[in-house]
Amino acid sequence: MNHDTTPASPGTPAPLSPASPRPLGHLLDSQRRVMSAAQLKAHGVTAAAVHGQCRPGGPWQRVLPGVILLHPGPATGEERLQAVLLYAGRPQEDRAQPRRTGGVPAQPLTGDVHPAPAVPYAEAMVTGLAALSLHGFVSAPPLLSLDHVDVLVPRTRRLRSTDFARLVRTTAMPTPVQRDGVPVAPVPRALADAIAQLSDASAVRRLLTEAVRAGHCEPAAVVRELTQARLLTRPHVVDAVDSLLAEGRAIAEDRLYRMVVEYGLPDPLWNVDLRLPGGPHLGGVDAYWPEHAVAVELDTRAPRQDEDALWSEYARKREHLERLGITVVHLTPRKLREALEQQAAVVRTALMAAADRDPAAYVVVLPR
């Protein structure tokens, strides 16, 4: 058979040869085992190649719409998280993506080039029980045992829950916390989203109790989120919150007692009511130094619908006591948890300043 070896004339375009499939070894060797279809395209993998790799019995699998698992076995807990974020998030520009300059495509990646590490994804974060597990809650189920992974997204996103990805929509996205490189909702928001899906009263109580005992957050922050989520209409949630507030106050009182002992403050009278002789009740305080006319009051209010009324009551009591010459030091559980030494200095300063003040009115001190 004769072969025409005549070179093409300069003005004749050369015949097109089929494009060679791009090698996939650099993806298989990468630590990134979950990628979106858009990321694979950025690495030069065509939709047809993805379809071929994901055929039954193939080396890849499609775990969520537009999300590919680059191995045939079951997804790990971490891979499920990555898949949900890839599905729900808006990825920032992939640093491994070939760039076009002056209309000319960049050269394809070679086999020894690895994809850049996974980058954060905007407008999506893990929440609910999966987030609590990442925060270290022992009462939260392991990631692999969860039927769904909750992911928080803006209300305007046009996405639907599918398979193990359950979307939770919000009008105001909180600032995420990074846990092992995964954007996670703060504990109070994650708790509210988890409790919204739970009907088991004991499970709700365990989560709320651990949140306070383990120091993950303050009760007031949890109640605020539960109020915004309109979950305080559920009786089992209300009962758990009441226990949460009692637990939070007990922990704050213990820290206050420890502060007095550890930082060498004079012993106060603990948990007393103050009353004018033969007059009205002035209110209760958590600690009182009668020789110095100094009182400490813990603010363990729960932010519910009557928050303004409660705060007005606190303010009126404080103003009344101070008009009588009693200094009121206002402490919060969070201040005692995060800055105990600083709060001890505040109380010590108030005690030392007593000598420079006019004598306070005489009040009757009664056990509370």
Side-chain angles (χ1 to χ4, degrees):
M1 179 180 295
N2 294 329
H3 296 277
D4 186 3
T5 58
T6 305
S9 63
T12 304
L16 295 177
S17 59
S20 300
R22 179 137 176 218
L24 305 179
H26 68 292
L27 296 177
L28 299 177
D29 293 338
S30 168
Q31 292 183 352
R32 188 190 298 190
R33 308 300 301 279
V34 185
M35 298 182 74
S36 68
Q39 288 173 327
L40 288 168
K41 182 179 179 181
H43 284 281
V45 184
T46 65
V50 172
H51 180 74
Q53 295 289 104
C54 292
R55 286 181 300 184
W60 294 358
Q61 52 185 311
R62 200 179 307 270
V63 290
L64 289 172
V67 182
I68 312 301
L69 185 64
L70 305 186
H71 65 80
T76 66
E78 180 183 357
E79 288 167 348
R80 281 161 57 93
L81 295 176
Q82 293 173 356
V84 166
L85 290 171
L86 283 169
Y87 171 69
R90 290 183 175 176
Q92 297 177 356
E93 185 178 7
D94 194 318
R95 287 172 289 174
Q97 180 175 352
R99 299 177 180 272
R100 295 180 178 268
T101 305
V104 179
Q107 293 299 316
L109 297 175
T110 58
D112 59 350
V113 176
H114 298 283
V119 294
Y121 292 90
E123 298 189 342
M125 65 187 76
V126 178
T127 190
L129 288 174
L132 296 179
S133 179
L134 291 171
H135 279 298
F137 275 64
V138 297
S139 55
L143 290 174
L144 276 177
S145 69
L146 296 174
D147 294 330
H148 298 89
V149 175
D150 293 323
V151 57
L152 194 62
V153 298
R155 187 173 296 276
T156 55
R157 292 299 308 279
R158 291 187 174 182
L159 286 174
R160 294 182 178 180
S161 298
T162 182
D163 206 288
F164 59 85
R166 182 164 57 194
L167 271 60
V168 180
R169 303 181 185 277
T170 181
T171 56
M173 292 285 285
T175 301
V177 179
Q178 296 293 323
R179 290 284 180 263
D180 297 327
V182 177
V184 178
V187 168
R189 177 62 203 242
L191 275 170
D193 290 335
I195 289 171
Q197 304 292 337
L198 294 175
S199 58
D200 184 350
S202 60
V204 171
R205 188 183 299 270
R206 284 195 301 270
L207 289 172
L208 293 180
T209 299
E210 182 177 354
V212 175
R213 285 184 181 174
H216 290 290
C217 60
E218 301 299 334
V222 178
V223 177
R224 185 178 297 108
E225 289 288 350
L226 294 175
T227 301
Q228 292 176 354
R230 300 179 181 179
L231 294 173
L232 293 182
T233 58
R234 303 180 183 183
H236 70 284
V237 176
V238 173
D239 291 343
V241 166
D242 289 340
S243 298
L244 169 76
L245 296 176
E247 181 85 15
R249 166 160 278 279
I251 292 174
E253 289 175 344
D254 181 69
R255 288 175 181 150
L256 178 60
Y257 177 80
R258 184 158 53 90
M259 181 191 77
V260 170
V261 173
E262 290 185 4
Y263 293 97
L265 298 176
D267 289 334
L269 301 176
W270 296 102
N271 294 318
V272 295
D273 279 321
L274 304 181
R275 184 184 299 273
L276 286 173
H281 176 244
L282 299 174
V285 294
D286 295 281
Y288 184 59
W289 289 264
E291 298 84 358
H292 305 82
V294 172
V296 165
E297 186 168 30
L298 290 174
D299 181 5
T300 56
R301 292 173 297 124
R304 304 195 190 191
Q305 293 179 349
D306 55 351
E307 180 179 6
D308 291 340
L310 284 173
W311 173 247
S312 297
E313 180 183 344
Y314 269 71
R316 282 195 301 269
K317 179 172 68 174
R318 181 172 183 171
E319 291 172 2
H320 195 178
L321 291 175
E322 290 184 343
R323 283 198 302 268
L324 296 173
I326 298 173
T327 300
V328 180
V329 179
H330 192 74
L331 300 180
T332 64
R334 181 175 180 178
K335 289 179 180 178
L336 290 173
R337 176 168 61 91
E338 298 180 354
L340 194 63
E341 183 177 3
Q342 182 184 27
Q343 303 314 303
V346 171
V347 175
R348 181 177 287 107
T349 300
L351 295 173
M352 293 173 62
D356 299 328
R357 298 194 307 264
D358 293 333
Y362 177 76
V363 296
V364 177
V365 182
L366 301 172
R368 185 162 59 171

